[in-house]
Amino acid sequence: MRYVNVGNGKLNTSDKILLVAIDLMAEKGFKTVTTKEIATAAGISEMTLYRHFGSKKNLLEQGIDRFHYTWEMQKLFKEKLVWDLQTDLLLISKTYHEVMSRNGKMFLITLKERHNLPGIQKKMKNYPQQLKEMLTDYFTRMQVRGKMIPTNPETQAMSFIWMNYGAFMTNLIADEPFTDVSMEEFMTTSVALFARGLTP
């Protein structure tokens, strides 16, 4: 599983360590895997790992910051919106699922370790909070433009997030396919219904 688009395929040392660490933590668990194992798998010395990250906990925290969806969503909301409800929401949904699926292993690690590492749990709450704020602002602006019915924009933002998060989690933890409906069909259909309900 790939966690980041590396463009020309070359990883810097920090990203290489992060990717190896995420793989090993997902396989063995955060507590079980050692910094020595991570360094060996990354082809570096343990001292180099500590020079880049300082600790295993800090390594995981930086991995969460580095590969979560926030920066891609921020770029999307700043540069790619066309102010058509169905078009915009479909792009947001596709981007969300693309990044979340790419980072599935990291997400499982944080779910497993959230009670053992309180700081991780707090950090993970920041990202959906930021997405909620971006969506709430978007829905507010769409109402001002007369392209969306009067409604509570935060309620609609949370409804949209929960809809997509539920689909992601179902696929992530299912031992076998839950349905024959593809993610593409789910996104297209659910966004169409959502947009239809909000369009004047």
Side-chain angles (χ1 to χ4, degrees):
M1 183 179 294
R2 199 168 83 179
Y3 297 87
V4 62
N5 183 356
V6 297
N8 59 11
K10 293 182 180 180
L11 291 169
N12 62 40
T13 301
S14 293
D15 282 349
K16 185 176 182 181
I17 296 169
L18 287 171
L19 297 180
V20 169
I22 290 168
D23 277 337
L24 288 174
M25 288 177 189
E27 180 185 344
K28 298 185 175 185
F30 176 82
K31 286 186 175 181
T32 303
V33 71
T34 66
T35 52
K36 185 175 182 179
E37 286 178 285
I38 295 169
T40 300
I44 60 168
S45 68
E46 195 172 9
M47 184 61 68
T48 298
L49 185 149
Y50 280 114
R51 192 163 58 246
H52 279 266
F53 297 101
S55 69
K56 186 168 64 171
K57 181 174 180 288
N58 191 48
L59 197 162
L60 178 58
E61 289 181 345
Q62 288 196 36
I64 293 170
D65 287 337
R66 175 69 178 83
F67 299 129
H68 215 281
Y69 57 70
T70 301
W71 73 270
E72 292 189 50
M73 284 297 183
Q74 288 173 338
K75 183 177 177 65
L76 185 158
F77 277 87
K78 286 179 181 178
E79 301 176 5
K80 299 182 179 179
L81 297 179
V82 297
W83 304 101
D84 174 79
L85 199 57
Q86 186 166 335
T87 303
D88 290 340
L89 292 181
L90 185 57
L91 178 61
I92 294 166
S93 183
K94 287 183 174 180
T95 303
Y96 175 89
H97 285 286
E98 178 186 334
V99 178
M100 291 292 277
S101 295
R102 193 167 68 219
N103 298 332
K105 286 184 182 179
M106 185 179 67
F107 195 83
L108 284 173
I109 295 167
T110 57
L111 283 178
K112 291 176 184 176
E113 302 298 337
R114 67 190 186 279
H115 298 303
N116 300 322
L117 300 168
I120 297 295
Q121 186 175 15
K122 184 178 180 181
K123 183 178 286 289
M124 289 300 291
K125 287 181 179 179
N126 290 336
Y127 301 108
Q129 176 69 29
Q130 291 170 8
L131 179 57
K132 183 198 77 170
E133 291 171 1
M134 287 185 276
L135 278 166
T136 300
D137 180 67
Y138 170 73
F139 287 139
T140 300
R141 293 186 182 199
M142 287 295 281
Q143 290 184 50
V144 170
R145 289 168 177 251
K147 295 186 174 183
M148 184 171 152
I149 62 171
T151 182
N152 185 323
E154 183 176 348
T155 299
Q156 300 310 324
M158 289 309 305
S159 298
F160 189 76
I161 290 171
W162 281 331
M163 176 178 75
N164 285 283
Y165 178 76
F168 165 72
M169 284 299 297
T170 299
N171 284 333
L172 183 67
I173 64 176
D175 293 326
E176 56 186 42
F178 184 72
T179 178
D180 291 331
V181 176
S182 69
M183 281 302 298
E184 184 70 27
E185 184 179 355
F186 160 74
M187 289 186 286
T188 302
T189 302
S190 61
V191 166
L193 290 171
F194 199 93
R196 184 185 302 171
L198 296 177
T199 301

